Amino acid sequence: MQQITDLKHSSAVPPSASMTHAADPYQHRNIAMNLEYSELWKSFHEIGTEMVITKSGRRMFPYCNVSVSGLVPYAKYVIMVDMVPLDNSRYKWNNEQWEVAGKAEPQPPCRTYVHPDSPALGSHWMKQPISFLKLKLTNNPLDQRGHIILHSMHRYQPRFHVVLADDLYSVRWGVFQTFTFSETTFTAVTVYQNSKITKLKIDHNPFAKGFREEGTHGKRHRAQKSQMCPENTAKKPKITDKEPEFMHFSDMPRLPYDPHRDDSEGMLLSKDVSMAQDEHMSPWGGEQDPAQSLHSEGVMDYTNSEQLVPGQASYQPQRIHEFERMPSPSSCVDGQADRQTFGSRSTDMATVPEQELSRPLPSMSLGSPQCRALDFPVSQNMPGCSKGRPSLGGHPLYSHYNTEQPLSHWSGALPGQYSSPAYPHPHHLMSEHSLHPSGYHHSNMAEWSQYSLFPYSC
DNA sequence: TCGTCTCTCACGTTTGAACCGA
DNA sequence: ATCGGTTCAAACGTGAGAGACG
């Protein structure tokens, strides 16, 4: 096994990790990630974010949009997103609140969405916010288009991975850091359950403009009238007032909430945010918020612990492999209302088994631009996966969020190891299934960390 | 059989990229 | 090469209906 490097934050460097710093050619210790439009995310989060998933794939709204800093400008990185279940429960919407409706269904194949720009230089990633607009969610387990597969009525949280890698072939053993944002947790649904979420979506999603109260009926009437008056249909006002930042970053969608915009949509957000904060109608009313319930059981759950504390400062950057209760000393709110800065906190280490180094990786390629999701196998060798998919050179890669799945290659450490904050364990991209102790519960983040992002050893 | 819950699909509307002609 | 108009695919939530389940 070859130890690649380590990303331990200086504030919590264990002795072993400190030793590895000397070998780190890039000194990746200060990578920070900001969630853009965090105010919008929070306004949804306070109500209980829901994301519609469809068979053909549905974009997220709000979509994931982050900015990173602290990268080495001349080093290449791959940036990815995946979705991890928040708990082991299935939910139902009852009496205006979410209730546990039973045990979660077996997790579908775990797919990771790789940002289309990947791999790119650190300078590129830091140049502008990184948009995951085109990430799509689906409930079709047989999806062939590379969308991220989720279960309806289950809760998920996006994870953002920054991987030091020259190309996608080297991702599997690249140095990586993982970030999560508590306000991005959501419930996957096929139909919106909470009418407040529907209203927020309509108010803020440009594509749903037609359903806005102030315009819906009028425009629909107008459409009806236009059938009687053809001259009204012929002239549609052309949208030419693109925001400069959108021109610079073509992948940037028109998120209604933009602090740089001074239009009515931005004002709409402000109104709604304050409304949400004032009313603070938690959808987890009768039931304790599962996140909090986990805490009440003493389960180490970093994500949910954030939700216990209101206010901006409660949103802490999180490393997926680190499950300490203490807040990150490096995390802070940078003062901007629409973003929060999250610093990485602990060591990430990638290891590469000799057999992997010597083996070609035909199944990982850049693939087509429109299909960037990766599937990674758990129980099969990647090259052996034969489900045909258009992306990745026709080499599908599957993984599963198996509740009984052993320790991830990706996350490396055992749950018991997380109990010792002073010695967080490094990430091993290749780790040992056999080390997995029996008796895992599937209801805490320590366990989620077992989910393979890249189950390399098959 | 019935009621409830969840999912699918067609629909109307909006957006923005692509195309074409001046 | 640029500008302006048109077309159309993709996106959105809605609402009706179908299917599964207890």
Side-chain angles (χ1 to χ4, degrees):
Chain A
M1 274 222 195
Q2 175 187 352
Q3 189 177 80
I4 301 299
T5 184
D6 131 59
L7 293 172
K8 183 63 191 173
H9 189 277
S10 58
S11 64
V13 178
S16 58
S18 299
M19 295 174 62
T20 63
H21 273 309
D24 181 2
Y26 296 113
Q27 297 293 312
H28 294 269
R29 302 183 196 180
N30 301 310
I31 297 178
M33 182 174 284
N34 306 321
L35 177 66
E36 301 288 320
Y37 309 108
S38 64
E39 288 296 324
L40 180 61
W41 274 103
K42 274 188 273 185
S43 66
F44 278 91
H45 180 66
E46 290 175 3
I47 299 174
T49 310
E50 298 173 18
M51 294 291 176
V52 166
I53 56 177
T54 66
K55 203 170 182 179
S56 57
R58 191 81 144 193
R59 289 183 178 179
M60 298 175 70
F61 189 88
Y63 58 90
C64 296
N65 197 29
V66 299
S67 58
V68 292
S69 60
L71 303 178
V72 176
Y74 51 83
K76 277 190 174 180
Y77 296 87
V78 170
I79 296 187
M80 307 173 289
V81 172
D82 65 357
M83 305 285 170
V84 290
L86 266 181
D87 50 37
N88 195 29
S89 299
R90 177 189 176 86
Y91 292 87
K92 66 176 179 181
W93 180 253
N94 191 26
N95 295 328
E96 295 297 308
Q97 63 190 31
W98 286 102
E99 297 175 349
V100 173
K103 191 174 167 63
E105 297 178 31
Q107 288 304 316
C110 169
R111 288 179 171 177
T112 301
Y113 178 85
V114 179
H115 191 281
D117 289 356
S118 299
L121 296 175
S123 57
H124 171 81
W125 294 120
M126 294 187 289
K127 191 170 55 183
Q128 71 277 305
I130 304 163
S131 168
F132 292 92
L133 166 70
K134 295 183 178 175
L135 185 159
K136 283 188 175 182
L137 309 176
T138 182
N139 60 346
N140 180 12
L142 302 177
D143 175 75
Q144 299 291 304
R145 287 181 278 190
H147 303 148
I148 292 182
I149 303 171
L150 304 178
H151 276 314
S152 178
M153 314 307 276
H154 289 59
R155 300 190 72 207
Y156 295 91
Q157 180 173 39
R159 292 191 309 186
F160 302 88
H161 307 279
V162 179
V163 186
L164 178 62
D166 283 339
D167 52 50
L168 290 183
Y169 288 95
S170 16
V171 162
R172 44 177 13 204
W173 45 71
V175 178
F176 73 98
Q177 291 195 289
T178 299
F179 301 85
T180 63
F181 303 89
S182 62
E183 61 266 52
T184 59
T185 59
F186 64 89
T187 306
V189 298
T190 54
V191 174
Y192 289 123
Q193 308 292 310
N194 187 345
S195 59
K196 296 184 182 71
I197 287 294
T198 304
K199 183 180 183 307
L200 261 185
K201 297 248 184 181
I202 291 174
D203 285 347
H204 297 292
N205 193 333
F207 284 102
K209 207 172 183 178
F211 299 101
R212 292 178 186 169
E213 288 180 5
E214 68 271 26
T216 299
H217 298 299
K219 283 170 183 175
R220 283 186 175 173
H221 285 312
R222 193 168 61 218
Q224 291 170 355
K225 279 193 291 184
S226 68
Q227 291 178 344
M228 297 180 288
C229 307
E231 68 274 12
N232 290 342
T233 61
K235 301 285 181 184
K236 238 196 311 191
K238 170 147 185 167
I239 298 94
T240 57
D241 54 337
K242 276 189 171 183
E243 295 82 357
E245 66 175 295
F246 294 163
M247 298 179 70
H248 287 307
F249 191 37
S250 61
D251 203 25
M252 190 84 168
R254 279 200 56 184
L255 251 191
Y257 176 68
D258 185 336
H260 303 298
R261 295 180 62 191
D262 186 22
D263 57 12
S264 58
E265 291 178 332
M267 295 174 67
L268 267 176
L269 173 75
S270 302
K271 176 191 68 181
D272 286 331
V273 167
S274 60
M275 177 272 294
Q277 289 173 340
D278 290 339
E279 297 183 3
H280 195 70
M281 291 169 286
S282 168
W284 308 95
E287 293 275 332
Q288 191 177 14
D289 186 325
Q292 300 184 14
S293 67
L294 287 176
H295 252 289
S296 66
E297 296 167 3
V299 176
M300 203 72 79
D301 184 332
Y302 67 82
T303 300
N304 298 324
S305 67
E306 299 163 8
Q307 300 172 348
L308 293 174
V309 185
Q312 281 189 328
S314 66
Y315 297 95
Q316 302 291 336
Q318 303 298 342
R319 296 296 302 276
I320 207 71
H321 58 288
E322 188 176 38
F323 301 95
E324 307 166 29
R325 277 187 178 277
M326 59 181 185
S328 164
S330 63
S331 63
C332 63
V333 177
D334 64 4
Q336 298 182 38
D338 62 324
R339 46 168 80 177
Q340 291 157 317
T341 302
F342 297 153
S344 59
R345 293 193 296 171
S346 67
T347 303
D348 284 313
M349 238 170 11
T351 56
V352 183
E354 292 79 0
Q355 60 181 28
E356 292 294 326
L357 282 172
S358 61
R359 192 172 62 185
L361 304 172
S363 41
M364 293 193 71
S365 64
L366 287 172
S368 59
Q370 72 271 23
C371 188
R372 287 283 185 162
L374 304 179
D375 298 329
F376 299 98
V378 162
S379 57
Q380 302 169 329
N381 291 332
M382 289 194 301
C385 300
S386 58
K387 283 186 182 178
R389 290 187 50 229
S391 64
L392 303 171
H395 296 278
L397 305 168
Y398 286 91
S399 171
H400 292 271
Y401 288 133
N402 190 335
T403 58
E404 305 303 324
Q405 181 179 321
L407 191 62
S408 165
H409 317 281
W410 185 258
S411 316
L414 301 174
Q417 294 173 319
Y418 294 119
S419 62
S420 177
Y423 296 95
H425 286 257
H427 269 51
H428 294 269
L429 291 184
M430 312 296 296
S431 106
E432 313 78 10
H433 281 299
S434 59
L435 290 179
H436 167 55
S438 60
Y440 275 151
H441 296 287
H442 187 52
S443 58
N444 58 62
M445 281 304 293
E447 186 177 10
W448 304 335
S449 71
Q450 301 160 26
Y451 300 135
S452 275
L453 183 61
F454 299 138
Y456 300 113
S457 64
C458 303

